[in-house]
Amino acid sequence: MLSLRQVSLEVARYRWYGAKNWTSLLQDISFDVAPGQMVALVGGSGEGKSLLLQCLLDLLPDNLRFQGAITLEGKTLDNDDIRKCRGNTFSYVPQGVQALNPLLSIEKHLRRASQLSGQQWNTGKIEHLLQRSQLENRVLDAFPRQLSGGMAKRVLACHASLSQARYILADEITAWLDAPLANQLLEQLRELCDQGAGVLWVTHDLTLAARHADHIVALHQGRVSDNVSREQLLRGEISEHLQRQWRALPERNQLFGARDAVLS
């Protein structure tokens, strides 16, 4: 199990002559991601969701400092441990498609992902993976600049599939995608959960979280406001802040259709 325990983040505000004034961004953040479970980390812009993923990867910029503990199967990880986990234990799916190297074809990207995970290149497996991601085989010859945003996101998800990582850290993986593609991509992540991987997925979309996640962790004003199961969310056993967001969803409004549309 991957766990965050009493994690806090502070940002440095620089003053004259380099003096620092530290300001709190996140306080006392604790939650778990179990193998086979998809956890949605939800909250508004600027709440620090992506920063928590950067904590898990030891990628925080120098003007941020971290306190608390990150544990894996009960062992507390230091920075060296976390770096060793990158790419094998932890696979990161970034929000921006700029993460793809513009000088490499998609085939070279996927070959490298296979190599880093210790796998031999298997053409049949790759073709099946592309087909499952609704990508044609000819995409292997393309370069990132030739892909749409949705295609690039699906290629990044293919990287996660090839990594065979125990935990997938996905940052706004459905951003800029229409509903069918977003659901298809999350179903792909669900398949990885079914194979035993844990998924921590950052999202603004509470509708998608209710449809796909097993557990929802909500951030509000630098703290965890909710740490609930999908069933608790649907029953309304959530904080007043999250209830306001839930009731405001168009899918929950009778003017826009059936109340159960959020799950269809």
Side-chain angles (χ1 to χ4, degrees):
M1 181 177 291
L2 176 63
S3 302
L4 283 79
R5 289 289 174 263
Q6 297 180 320
V7 167
S8 297
L9 280 181
E10 294 180 319
V11 61
R13 311 291 185 185
Y14 291 93
R15 305 173 64 186
W16 290 102
Y17 304 108
K20 295 179 183 178
N21 183 21
W22 292 96
T23 303
S24 177
L25 289 179
L26 295 172
Q27 302 176 50
D28 196 26
I29 306 297
S30 299
F31 62 87
D32 303 316
V33 182
Q37 183 184 60
M38 182 182 291
V39 176
L41 185 61
V42 304
S45 297
E47 288 286 1
K49 304 183 298 298
S50 296
L51 290 176
L52 282 178
L53 294 194
Q54 293 178 37
C55 284
L56 290 167
L57 295 164
D58 188 32
L59 293 176
L60 287 174
D62 292 338
N63 67 324
L64 289 173
R65 67 182 183 186
F66 161 88
Q67 293 180 328
I70 297 171
T71 67
L72 181 64
E73 314 304 341
K75 176 189 175 183
T76 300
L77 303 180
D78 60 23
N79 290 347
D80 289 337
D81 294 327
I82 290 174
R83 294 186 192 109
K84 292 176 184 177
C85 288
R86 293 178 192 164
N88 44 70
T89 304
F90 299 154
S91 178
Y92 179 48
V93 184
Q95 179 177 355
V97 297
Q98 299 88 347
L100 294 172
N101 189 328
L103 301 179
L104 298 181
S105 68
I106 300 307
E107 179 176 344
K108 289 184 178 179
H109 278 90
L110 297 182
R111 280 186 179 275
R112 178 164 174 75
S114 296
Q115 180 184 17
L116 290 174
S117 65
Q119 302 177 72
Q120 295 293 325
W121 180 260
N122 185 318
T123 302
K125 180 178 179 179
I126 296 298
E127 289 178 353
H128 175 72
L129 180 60
L130 292 176
Q131 182 180 16
R132 192 178 64 187
S133 303
Q134 298 183 19
L135 293 168
E136 298 181 8
N137 290 343
R138 63 183 181 183
V139 77
L140 293 173
D141 298 323
F143 287 82
R145 67 179 182 276
Q146 297 172 302
L147 304 182
S148 68
M151 293 171 69
K153 286 283 182 122
R154 282 173 279 165
V155 168
L156 289 171
C158 288
H159 279 74
S161 297
L162 289 171
S163 71
Q164 296 186 327
R166 292 160 59 191
Y167 293 93
I168 311 298
L169 310 178
D171 190 359
E172 292 286 2
I173 192 172
T174 60
W176 315 308
L177 299 183
D178 60 22
L181 279 180
N183 284 296
Q184 184 272 325
L185 200 54
L186 290 168
E187 287 168 6
Q188 190 172 338
L189 289 183
R190 170 56 64 187
E191 290 180 13
L192 297 179
C193 287
D194 293 341
Q195 296 168 18
V199 174
L200 177 57
W201 159 45
V202 165
T203 182
H204 286 87
D205 196 322
L206 194 55
T207 299
L208 286 177
R211 185 177 296 142
H212 294 279
D214 302 301
H215 217 79
I216 293 89
V217 177
L219 298 183
H220 180 57
Q221 296 182 348
R223 296 181 179 272
V224 172
S225 65
D226 296 84
N227 189 345
V228 297
S229 67
R230 176 176 179 269
E231 290 73 21
Q232 287 175 298
L233 172 65
L234 297 178
R235 290 197 299 265
E237 299 173 7
I238 51 180
S239 68
E240 180 59 32
H241 167 72
L242 198 59
Q243 283 186 24
R244 288 195 297 269
Q245 293 185 45
W246 183 243
R247 290 194 296 264
L249 292 174
E251 296 88 346
R252 299 284 298 172
N253 194 313
Q254 292 286 0
L255 293 174
F256 293 89
R259 295 181 66 85
D260 291 336
V262 67
L263 302 178
S264 63

